[in-house]
Amino acid sequence: MLGWFKKKKEKNVESIPVNDAESAEISRQDNGNAADASEGDIAQTVVTETGAGAELKQDGMFQRLKKGLSKTRESFVKRVDAIFLGKKVIDAELLDELEEILITSDIGIRTTQELLDNAREQVKHNELSDPQVLKETLQKEILSFLLQSDKPTELSLPDKGPFVILVLGVNGVGKTTTIGKLAHKFQQAGNKVLLVAADTFRAAAIDQLKIWGEKIGVDVSAQQPGADPSSVAFDALEYASNRDFDVIIIDTAGRLHTKVNLMEELRKIKRVIGKKCENAPHEVMLVLDATTGQNAISQTKLFNEAVEITGLILTKLDGTAKGGIVVNISREFQIPIRFIGVGEKMEDLRDFDPKEFVEALFN
């Protein structure tokens, strides 16, 4: 996703007046302070690597992804291998066992049914008889499901002005932390980033976002706890209008997806953003906790009905054996997964690549 955002030219970083907008508080730390705050965990410059060095780095990142998916691989792929062990033919018993594994891995009933209906049809017509070939077929079909929902980010990018991202999610999914990591990714790609603390319901959320801003060295626009979230978003866009920001990420209050009044507030924020910045928000990202399994499906459904989700971020994939939820959500909603979280470190928020994901899962 971030490849498109590579800066076309170098930009000089200018100091920004703290109290320029009367209603907004802007906090900014220089790169030196950011480096001190991160204690060396966050690189402040991007180093271009080529040849063997780049390959080793890429291999290392892939190994981290494999490690992050290890619980799902243990629960899913190894169980599939176990039922195939010693099998010479595909029979009804094997398919029933496979169905149980797929469903308990949170791939979902309908997705599982479609996968197995295809397999049964091929077996019926003598097109599939080897269990190992069936495993390869499953892998290809799972990849095809993920590719069907994968959409280029370029489709939502504005012709001019900042790329505005509205971030949603229920309490406890790691939303604010994910925003901090996401801002770091954009910054590492050479973009000037503004974070907006529109989660005014929980005072700690504002402080948490400010801490992230200081840690990675990006601006944070915030008001007092209890302020109207729509007003906070509007003032932040007003502040950003003449300051050449490339990316604006707006945090919103964590809310139960079943609370009608809170969902209406999201609609209002989206309308206000659209009036201030043409076609914004350009991405409406929903953060989901992968460990919640099927509950993530209901969250996606109701948030999507309220504000039309354009991208998903799945966190905590390293903490669940049911990573099949990735496949289930992709098949169910046809919403692209933009990022996945497979660990606590900054680099563990990864751009989602369907081919890489499937390879890491089955390898």
Side-chain angles (χ1 to χ4, degrees), residues 60-308:
M61 294 297 286
F62 181 72
Q63 291 303 318
R64 290 187 67 83
L65 177 60
K66 284 183 63 178
K67 182 179 179 182
L69 294 174
S70 60
K71 289 186 178 180
T72 297
R73 192 164 51 251
E74 288 281 342
S75 173
F76 174 48
V77 179
K78 288 198 173 182
R79 288 169 66 198
V80 170
D81 286 341
I83 65 170
F84 285 172
L85 188 63
K87 292 279 188 178
K88 301 298 183 183
V89 296
I90 301 172
D91 54 23
E93 182 182 357
L94 185 148
L95 290 173
D96 287 345
E97 290 184 62
L98 182 58
E99 181 176 28
E100 180 182 347
I101 292 172
L102 291 171
I103 291 174
T104 56
S105 297
D106 264 352
I107 285 180
I109 294 175
R110 285 198 290 184
T111 303
T112 296
Q113 199 65 50
E114 186 168 347
L115 285 169
L116 292 182
D117 283 349
N118 292 341
R120 289 187 176 101
E121 192 67 24
Q122 291 182 63
V123 171
K124 181 179 178 181
H125 291 90
N126 297 318
E127 296 170 0
L128 184 63
S129 59
D130 186 345
Q132 290 305 315
V133 176
L134 173 57
K135 179 184 173 182
E136 294 172 7
T137 301
L138 283 175
Q139 184 173 345
K140 290 177 182 177
E141 291 196 19
I142 286 173
L143 176 59
S144 73
F145 289 166
L146 296 176
L147 290 173
Q148 284 172 22
S149 64
D150 195 38
K151 299 173 185 174
T153 317
E154 289 88 335
L155 294 176
S156 60
L157 289 171
D159 294 330
K160 60 180 180 179
F163 181 60
V164 181
I165 303 173
L166 184 65
V167 183
L168 324 173
V170 303
N171 289 314
V173 297
K175 179 167 53 65
T176 306
T177 298
T178 298
I179 288 172
K181 291 180 179 181
L182 183 59
H184 174 67
K185 288 178 75 69
F186 279 109
Q187 185 196 51
Q188 290 288 74
N191 295 278
K192 186 177 178 182
V193 182
L194 174 67
L195 300 181
V196 182
D199 180 357
T200 59
F201 181 74
R202 186 171 62 93
I206 298 174
D207 294 335
Q208 188 180 2
L209 203 65
K210 287 181 180 179
I211 290 170
W212 270 106
E214 293 172 1
K215 186 175 183 180
I216 60 180
V218 302
D219 296 343
V220 178
S221 177
Q223 295 184 19
Q224 296 301 314
D228 178 60
S230 299
S231 175
V232 174
F234 182 89
D235 288 346
L237 291 176
E238 179 73 23
Y239 171 82
S241 59
N242 296 316
R243 287 178 171 79
D244 207 21
F245 284 100
D246 301 294
V247 182
I248 299 175
I249 307 175
I250 303 173
D251 189 14
T252 60
R255 64 200 69 219
L256 291 174
H257 48 289
T258 54
K259 297 295 184 181
V260 176
N261 59 327
L262 291 176
M263 297 302 273
E264 183 55 42
E265 182 183 88
L266 283 180
R267 296 186 184 97
K268 180 182 176 183
I269 295 172
K270 187 178 179 182
R271 288 195 301 270
V272 168
I273 292 171
K275 290 178 181 178
K276 182 61 183 173
C277 184
E278 187 178 1
N279 297 322
H282 306 102
E283 277 272 6
V284 179
M285 287 191 183
L286 176 63
V287 181
L288 298 167
D289 181 344
T291 65
T292 61
Q294 292 300 307
N295 194 33
I297 297 292
S298 61
Q299 290 174 29
T300 304
K301 180 178 183 295
L302 293 172
F303 274 108
N304 193 43
E305 289 174 352
V307 289
E308 190 177 353

Side-chain angles (χ1 to χ4, degrees), residues 318-338:
D318 58 313
T320 181
K322 298 185 177 183
I325 193 67
V326 172
V327 183
N328 194 0
I329 288 177
S330 293
R331 189 59 171 166
E332 192 79 19
F333 298 101
Q334 297 294 297
I335 299 173
I337 297 171
R338 297 302 192 194

